[in-house]
Amino acid sequence: MHPTILIVGASSGIGKHTALTFNRNNWKVIACSRNLKALKAMSIKTSQKNPKIEPVKLDITNQIACKKNIDKIINKFGVPDIVLLNAGTNNPNSKNIASYKETKKLFEVNFFGIVHCIELLIPHLEKKRDTQLVIMSSVAGYRGLPYAAAYCSSKAGLISFAEAIYNQCYDKGINVRVICPGFVKTPLTDKNKFKMPMIISSETAGNIIYNKLLNSKSFEIVFPKVFCYFMKILKILPNFLYFKLTSKLLKKL
């Protein structure tokens, strides 16, 4: 019997390469995304020696369909040992100071879609116990960054949400963890029009996530470490210093 991981947002980038890494290491992978075609292509290319990657179409912004499909996943494959909620989007290069339409659209995926998945999955995970519920956030959630108000606030919300539910879930045998990466080369970051410091590949990110989920118990997983620790320093800077730094950054963007 192979251990099982459910990855939401597995068709590209970090999710895809995390799925492939777990598959190479004999995990059964339930790969979910709105892009079923990409999931099927990934599944076909995987080695016949390993458990098959199971592609499942899942749109986390559609509440009714999401509940129906998660119920189907549990009924067909059982309760996974690890759930990785990786789905997310961005509005790169937007120069709007505030846009209700953009922010709402982004939160529907990055925050409310993830929270709905958590609500649906917890009753199943607590029955199995000794499971991991892993939420993909970002170091962008540490502080507000220029031209990224919606993205930063959605990721900050996920970090706070994960912290808030940690103890309640721990009592039910669910280990809540949060991943806060820096820049990773993905189809989303390819749209950025600025130089991204210390960017790493999706393959490297997938390997790090695999090793950290299996070999550490830390609440927060960060990579690349040097860049993430720099962002942690920004997090604790006094506001007047932080705003001086970001005003200089704003002029370069």
Side-chain angles (χ1 to χ4, degrees), residues 139-160:
V139 293
Y142 291 169
R143 293 205 76 154
L145 297 169
Y147 300 136
Y151 184 74
C152 289
S153 53
S154 70
K155 293 301 185 178
L158 287 179
I159 294 170
S160 294

Side-chain angles (χ1 to χ4, degrees), residues 5-8 10 19 29-33 39 42 53-57:
I5 182 170
L6 167 64
I7 302 178
V8 177
V29 178
I30 307 160
C32 303
S33 169
L39 294 176
M42 176 174 65
I53 291 180
E54 300 287 351
V56 179
K57 186 170 184 177

Side-chain angles (χ1 to χ4, degrees), residues 127-146:
K127 288 178 183 177
K128 184 169 187 174
R129 302 187 70 84
D130 196 25
T131 54
Q132 293 190 52
L133 176 60
V134 188
I135 301 167
M136 181 65 70
S137 183
S138 167
V139 293
Y142 291 169
R143 293 205 76 154
L145 297 169

Side-chain angles (χ1 to χ4, degrees), residues 17-240:
H17 289 285
T18 302
L20 291 171
T21 302
F22 271 87
N23 175 257
R24 284 196 301 270
N25 287 278
N26 272 330
W27 279 66
K28 187 175 187 64
V29 178
I30 307 160
C32 303
S33 169
R34 288 183 291 188
N35 190 343
L36 185 60
K37 184 178 179 180
L39 294 176
K40 286 182 176 178
M42 176 174 65
S43 178
I44 291 169
K45 290 180 181 178
T46 54
S47 170
Q48 298 299 317
K49 296 180 182 179
N50 300 325
K52 181 184 174 185
I53 291 180
E54 300 287 351
V56 179
K57 186 170 184 177
L58 185 69
D59 181 357
I60 65 172
T61 64
N62 185 328
Q63 292 188 17
I64 295 173
C66 187
K67 183 181 187 310
K68 184 178 179 181
N69 287 332
I70 284 180
D71 286 343
K72 280 185 178 180
I73 288 169
I74 300 299
N75 289 334
K76 185 174 181 179
F77 303 111
V79 181
D81 300 281
I82 301 175
V83 171
L84 172 56
L85 300 176
N86 174 68
T89 188
N90 196 2
N91 54 341
N93 312 308
S94 172
K95 297 299 171 69
N96 289 319
I97 292 177
S99 169
Y100 171 77
K101 185 177 180 181
E102 282 183 6
T103 304
K104 183 180 179 183
K105 184 178 180 181
L106 197 145
F107 263 75
E108 286 296 334
V109 179
N110 288 9
F111 187 78
F112 293 114
I114 297 298
V115 170
H116 188 227
C117 288
I118 293 171
E119 179 187 21
L120 296 173
L121 287 162
I122 280 178
H124 300 291
L125 296 176
E126 68 178 326
K127 288 178 183 177
K128 184 169 187 174
R129 302 187 70 84
D130 196 25
T131 54
Q132 293 190 52
L133 176 60
V134 188
I135 301 167
M136 181 65 70
S137 183
S138 167
V139 293
Y142 291 169
R143 293 205 76 154
L145 297 169
Y147 300 136
Y151 184 74
C152 289
S153 53
S154 70
K155 293 301 185 178
L158 287 179
I159 294 170
S160 294
F161 194 90
E163 291 171 347
I165 67 172
Y166 178 87
N167 284 316
Q168 287 173 282
C169 288
Y170 187 81
D171 290 342
K172 296 178 181 293
I174 305 167
N175 186 19
V176 173
R177 309 181 72 178
V178 65
I179 301 175
C180 293
F183 290 112
V184 179
K185 184 172 173 52
T186 69
L188 275 180
T189 58
D190 285 343
K191 296 177 183 179
N192 290 336
K193 294 180 179 179
F194 56 89
K195 186 177 180 180
M196 293 170 279
M198 302 183 200
I199 188 168
I200 63 172
S201 69
S202 294
E203 293 90 342
T204 299
N207 288 331
I208 292 170
I209 291 171
Y210 173 81
N211 287 321
K212 291 293 184 180
L213 293 185
L214 296 191
N215 300 313
S216 82
K217 295 184 178 180
S218 58
F219 168 71
E220 184 185 34
I221 297 168
V222 297
F223 53 85
K225 282 187 176 180
V226 173
F227 180 75
C228 291
Y229 290 153
F230 170 74
M231 293 298 293
K232 284 181 179 291
I233 291 171
L234 291 185
K235 186 178 180 181
I236 61 173
L237 274 184
N239 287 332
F240 79 93

